[in-house]
């Protein structure tokens, strides 16, 4: 808490020195405590200049997803009002589940700077080096269990909207849960629900965005289909604003969703979809289906028109887009 | 031709008097002919001031879809390079078919200021009072007959794009062939193909836009679901620019279509669609189907998800949108 107040003070007196008296009285701490807090801020990457006469001056904020930076001017009502930040975890979804079991409130966010064993769908490993956004949201929606998978679509729209609005790139969604720039994956979403009987207890939605990640360091097989915002824009992207914007967009869409306004969200998904209109191959357990993706149903089910003209619903699977088949 | 040259001269010397000598020499006509041409321009609605010493000055151009106005700075290659203009016809589609039979080139446009018996789909009458855009395009695409109905979708995208870009309204498409503002119809499209055996001879695409039409004068039953641009924007809209913009957009999309680039056009249609995502009722000959519209196929066929979860293709019919059913 004192750190948050110190940083707030720095920001209100932008680029200026703040006297020790002001800082200690604002944060309600002693001179010695102030020194300690400044030291620990420096350890977190803040560059702070000190002058014996003038006090302290904030020179640079680290490009890290630190909770008080995210919360400083966050305009959400409940998403991200509680943030748990880790420098490294096995998986933010696993941490989220533990916290949810212990009663963490709706909207709690778990952020890690890197994950040792990030998870993708179908038990796949998800590479999560530092520089990316690895976070999970805890949700407690009052919806039937069967609707929980729709949260993947809601989240996909929120991510795609955020990237489009912040970065002006050709952002789209690949069914069911990948965000693409052009045809390359930049974000994955993993939704896991916990139910007791038929009762939905909580949902954790994991979002992994390759923000300032060096895709070149990925194994060759992953590198091919992946990209990062840093690579696309050829510069480091400030993560805090992106995460804040995502939280605002997500909260709005999630509110619409829980109020039953699914139609508009699905239409946004359809507009953002790079799958609809593509000839696709969907790999499912034990079989593969191929066809022209012509729509999604209100349950988020993909609809394929097969080569013989018949229609088929595809509930889940690994989807590959083919171009120029039409 | 002399009229076109006279108008061109007026435009290059905007708001200024042009001497009789300049006009006669530019148009290659005599003084007496010039007087006649000026008189006939005035009859068409041009307001022209004359001064014994200074010559003539164009004060106002009528808000009419006159061929030389449309062609004056038209940037298309073939759409609208030949325009047949009528103050009143039975139906522009009928005139277009006659002209097509006589060999009129691809891109020929028939425009009427009003239609005595404008046609809608399924033999319905289409009200075509003066103030609207009633036109038909003659096309000779090298495509299989089965693909001709797709020209309705191509045209729908061109109209919707034009209205969106020129008027900044909530424009969308109702499957298969209506352009809506909000949920009210502002434009209908009627595609008719002529084939000899399996060979497509020509296609005429009729486009009717309620531009500066007083919808209040429609019979009550039609008034309810209809609107005009004049009504939406509460002012008269210059028709020439709108028609020119439509021709440019249509030509681009039509070129893509005949070059086999259907995917992007279908995706534009899907993005503009107000049907996909709506609960609809489709009236067909002898039966009615109801369901959630979840997509369209690459043949332009509507895909419904029925209440029992099954999928059904709907090739044609009269479609009604229901709101708030989801």
């Amino acid at each position: 808490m004192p750190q948050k107040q110190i940083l707030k003070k720095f920001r209100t007196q932008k680029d200026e020195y703040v006297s020790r008296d002001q800082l200690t009285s604002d944060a309600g701490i002693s001179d010695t405590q102030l020194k300690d807090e400044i030291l620990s801020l420096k350890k977190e990457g803040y560059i702070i200049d000190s002058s014996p006469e003038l006090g302290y001056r904030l020179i640079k904020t680290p490009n890290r997803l630190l909770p008080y930076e995210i919360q400083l001017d966050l305009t959400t009502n409940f998403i991200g009002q509680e943030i748990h930040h880790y420098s490294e975890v096995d998986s933010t979804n696993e941490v989220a589940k533990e916290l949810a079991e212990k009663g963490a409130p709706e909207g709690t966010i778990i952020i890690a700077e890197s994950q040792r064993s990030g998870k993708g769908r179908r038990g796949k490993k998800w590479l999560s080096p530092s520089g990316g956004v690895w976070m999970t949201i805890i949700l407690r929606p009052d919806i039937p269990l069967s609707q929980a998978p729709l949260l993947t679509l809601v989240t996909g729209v929120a991510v795609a909207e955020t990237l489009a609005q912040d970065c002006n790139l050709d952002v789209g969604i690949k069914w069911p849960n990948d965000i693409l720039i052009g045809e390359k994956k930049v974000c994955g979403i993993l939704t896991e629900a916990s139910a007791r009987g038929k009762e939905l207890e909580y949902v954790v939605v994991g979002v992994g965005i390759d923000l300032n990640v060096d895709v070149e360091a990925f194994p060759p097989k992953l590198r091919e289909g992946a990209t990062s915002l840093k690579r696309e824009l050829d510069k480091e992207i400030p993560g805090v604003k992106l995460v804040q914007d995502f939280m605002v967009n997500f909260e709005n869409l999630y509110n619409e969703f829980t109020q039953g306004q699914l139609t508009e969200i699905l239409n946004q998904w359809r507009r953002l979809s790079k799958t609809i209109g593509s000839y696709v191959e969907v790999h499912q357990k034990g079989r593969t289906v191929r066809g022209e993706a012509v729509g999604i149903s209100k349950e988020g089910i993909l609809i394929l028109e097969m080569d013989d003209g018949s229609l088929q619903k595809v509930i889940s699977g690994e989807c590959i887009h083919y171009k120029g088949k039409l």
Side-chain angles (χ1 to χ4, degrees), chain A:
Chain A
M1 284 302 281
Q3 287 197 343
K4 204 169 167 177
Q5 276 157 317
I6 292 166
L7 288 168
K8 205 167 185 174
K9 196 75 197 166
F10 280 141
R11 291 236 161 53
T12 52
Q13 297 188 214
K14 210 168 173 279
D15 299 330
E16 282 173 30
Y17 279 96
V18 186
S19 73
R20 284 179 180 77
D21 282 358
Q22 274 190 297
L23 287 170
T24 49
S25 79
D26 265 45
I29 52 175
S30 72
D31 241 39
T32 321
Q33 282 172 310
L34 177 61
K35 262 190 196 165
D36 288 347
E37 296 292 356
I38 293 286
L39 191 64
S40 76
L41 283 173
K42 284 181 176 178
K43 279 184 187 157
E44 287 188 350
Y46 290 90
I47 300 176
I48 296 165
D49 183 34
S50 64
S51 145
E53 299 83 30
L54 303 168
Y56 295 103
R57 185 165 66 107
L58 177 62
I59 295 178
K60 196 163 178 275
T61 301
N63 189 3
R64 290 175 63 196
L65 300 173
L66 299 168
Y68 27 84
E69 291 294 336
I70 294 171
Q71 291 176 332
L72 206 61
D73 42 17
L74 184 64
T75 59
T76 58
N77 286 315
F78 59 96
I79 298 293
Q81 290 305 311
E82 186 171 326
I83 299 179
H84 297 253
H85 177 268
Y86 303 87
S87 56
E88 191 175 51
V89 293
D90 279 342
S91 145
T92 54
N93 266 27
E94 291 309 313
V95 175
K97 284 190 247 177
E98 283 165 31
L99 289 167
E101 293 289 346
K102 287 179 193 156
E106 172 151 278
T108 299
I109 297 271
I110 293 87
I111 297 190
E113 306 208 5
S114 65
Q115 295 183 107
R116 278 180 293 266
S117 37
K119 294 190 298 179
R121 279 168 67 236
R122 344 192 101 223
K124 281 193 187 165
K125 197 173 152 62
W126 175 268
L127 271 187
S128 318
S130 89
V133 177
W134 321 120
M135 67 179 170
T136 297
I137 313 164
I138 296 173
L139 300 168
R140 301 182 179 280
D142 185 17
I143 55 169
L145 182 58
S146 62
Q147 285 202 5
L150 284 172
L151 284 166
T152 299
L153 302 190
V154 173
T155 310
V157 172
V159 173
E161 271 191 342
T162 306
L163 297 189
Q165 123 200 4
D166 284 21
C167 303
N168 195 25
L169 291 165
D170 170 27
V171 179
I173 303 176
K174 190 177 86 164
W175 178 87
N177 69 340
D178 291 343
I179 310 302
L180 308 181
I181 297 178
E183 275 297 321
K184 294 194 165 187
K185 183 167 174 172
V186 74
C187 167
I189 296 159
L190 181 63
T191 303
E192 298 181 82
S194 171
R196 206 155 274 167
K198 278 186 179 176
E199 203 73 22
L200 185 61
E201 268 201 307
Y202 59 83
V203 179
V204 300
V205 183
V207 176
I209 306 173
D210 288 333
L211 185 68
N212 297 310
V213 165
D214 288 315
V215 182
E216 292 71 20
F218 281 13
K221 217 182 143 183
L222 289 178
R223 201 189 306 153
E224 208 182 317
T227 192
S228 69
L229 292 174
K230 183 185 175 187
R231 186 191 203 170
E232 296 292 329
L233 299 167
D234 205 20
K235 63 178 182 193
E236 292 255 330
I237 313 304
V240 167
K241 186 179 178 299
L242 190 99
V243 168
Q244 288 173 332
D245 290 344
F246 165 75
M247 287 174 177
V248 170
N249 288 333
F250 179 83
E251 186 172 285
N252 289 336
L253 288 161
Y254 179 74
N255 283 337
E256 287 177 28
F257 172 70
T258 53
Q259 285 158 24
Q261 295 161 35
L262 188 54
T263 309
E264 189 41 41
I265 297 171
L266 282 172
N267 280 335
Q268 282 172 274
W269 192 96
R270 290 177 176 117
R271 276 193 290 273
L272 287 161
S273 170
K274 284 182 183 270
T275 300
I276 294 173
S278 295
Y279 193 86
V280 304
E281 196 171 280
V282 184
H283 298 276
Q284 297 173 308
K285 280 182 209 128
R287 71 175 197 136
T288 295
V289 288
R290 280 179 208 86
E292 178 85 18
V294 289
I296 59 158
S297 80
K298 62 180 179 294
E299 288 88 23
I301 293 169
L302 186 67
I303 295 156
L304 297 188
E305 183 180 36
M306 317 308 278
D307 291 342
D308 66 2
S310 66
L311 298 172
Q312 193 165 322
K313 284 184 171 184
V314 183
I315 294 171
S316 73
E318 179 78 24
C319 177
I320 296 166
H321 293 174
Y322 286 92
K323 288 279 147 185
K325 169 86 197 208
L326 202 68

